[in-house]
Amino acid sequence: FKNWDFGSIPVSWNEAFSDYLDQLWVSSQYNKKCYIESGISENRIKVINSGVDTLFFNNQVEPISITTKKKFKFLYKGNSDNKSGFDILLKTYSQEFIKEEDVCLIVLTNKNELTDETNDLIKRFNSDPNNPELILIDIPEDLNEIAKIYKACNYLVYSYRTESYCIELVEAMACGLPAIVTNGGASLDYCNKENSFLIDANRVYQNERNIENTETKGKPSWFEIDPLDFRIKLREA
């Protein structure tokens, strides 16, 4: 069971998978396509989508009370690395909304794992008196509490550059929370225009066949979303 976030797989994997594996499991049709493009035989690849325990994540969960006077709540859950697109979200959110609007962004993350750069980014955001409200919440250990936070919000924002497992997306949708999501990659196993806002995005390719100090068979790739369409989707929501 092995996903890869950057399209074309590492050179060392290609030989190992071709020679030694009977079957390869991946989390999405997109990941399957990337492996096929890298030369792995389609009939050896099996898609095993992400799942959640519906005893915890379901539409009957009671919402938690979040300390804010704002009625409309966007939710972001995850880390703040480049792959997650957190930087894009903060920039777009601040461009589209102002402080006086009845909207709040809930950022659900592991506070202890935030980099100094991300902490500075959030501090600068909150220090600007014109920016809309942002509330930082540490991810609870209790799955019930996480589900209650999902139910307290209006939309999950999932504006990634690349993502394999989409576990936050599946958790949120299991709780009845619709998504504003990158129109590309693994999320399309779950999202469509009927149940989500799909943000226009282009698959872009790096010139060098090397990423994260790993040689790749072809050019690594990820998704870059259209910032204007992102603003439009946030406003429509």
Side-chain angles (χ1 to χ4, degrees):
F1 198 153
K2 190 68 174 175
N3 290 320
W4 174 248
D5 285 330
F6 298 105
S8 185
I9 66 173
V11 170
S12 58
W13 292 11
N14 188 271
E15 180 179 343
F17 291 170
S18 297
D19 293 346
Y20 300 111
L21 291 189
D22 296 308
Q23 192 173 78
L24 171 66
W25 293 358
V26 295
S27 290
S28 69
Q29 294 293 335
Y30 172 71
N31 249 251
K32 178 179 179 178
K33 179 181 177 182
C34 291
Y35 276 104
I36 293 171
E37 290 174 350
S38 297
I40 305 300
S41 174
E42 180 177 1
N43 59 17
R44 300 174 70 191
I45 307 172
K46 177 72 173 177
V47 176
I48 308 291
N49 285 127
S50 296
V52 297
D53 189 339
T54 54
L55 289 176
F56 296 102
F57 300 100
N58 61 75
N59 205 24
Q60 282 71 52
V61 174
E62 290 295 322
I64 199 172
S65 177
I66 296 176
T67 306
T68 176
K69 294 181 179 179
K70 306 294 186 179
K71 292 181 180 178
F72 194 96
K73 305 175 189 70
F74 293 111
L75 174 66
Y76 172 85
K77 179 177 180 282
N79 57 33
S80 58
D81 59 13
N82 184 264
K83 295 189 293 185
S84 72
F86 181 67
D87 58 322
I88 306 170
L89 171 57
L90 278 194
K91 183 177 181 180
T92 306
Y93 177 60
S94 65
Q95 288 175 336
E96 183 58 30
F97 300 103
I98 58 175
K99 183 177 182 180
E100 289 73 21
E101 292 190 80
D102 199 10
V103 62
C104 178
L105 174 62
I106 309 298
V107 177
L108 187 61
T109 189
N110 291 312
K111 292 182 181 179
N112 292 334
E113 296 180 7
L114 293 178
T115 64
D116 291 340
E117 182 180 359
T118 301
N119 278 317
D120 289 341
L121 187 66
I122 293 173
K123 286 179 182 178
R124 289 199 302 272
F125 182 95
N126 282 330
S127 65
D128 188 330
N130 297 314
N131 278 343
E133 187 173 50
L134 182 151
I135 297 176
L136 194 64
I137 299 178
D138 211 11
I139 296 178
E141 293 184 4
D142 188 337
L143 295 181
N144 281 308
E145 295 302 307
I146 295 175
K148 290 178 180 179
I149 294 173
Y150 283 130
K151 286 295 291 184
C153 299
N154 299 93
Y155 275 89
L156 177 77
V157 185
Y158 213 55
S159 51
Y160 58 78
R161 288 185 173 91
T162 178
E163 171 61 40
S164 297
Y165 292 98
C166 293
I167 191 64
E168 295 85 4
L169 176 65
V170 181
E171 289 175 351
M173 296 182 79
C175 293
L177 190 67
I180 304 168
V181 63
T182 303
N183 188 10
S187 66
L188 298 187
D189 278 30
Y190 315 98
C191 297
N192 55 59
K193 291 182 179 180
E194 300 301 318
N195 64 16
S196 308
F197 281 116
L198 304 180
I199 312 165
D200 290 347
N202 293 315
R203 189 177 177 185
V204 297
Y205 294 83
Q206 180 175 282
N207 289 328
E208 298 81 13
R209 297 186 177 186
N210 184 295
I211 195 163
E212 296 187 341
N213 298 317
T214 301
E215 183 184 2
T216 56
K217 194 169 185 295
K219 294 180 179 179
S221 63
W222 55 88
F223 290 91
E224 287 293 349
I225 66 174
D226 180 339
L228 178 58
D229 191 63
F230 193 7
R231 290 181 62 173
I232 290 171
K233 295 302 192 302
L234 290 173
R235 179 62 66 180
E236 285 182 352

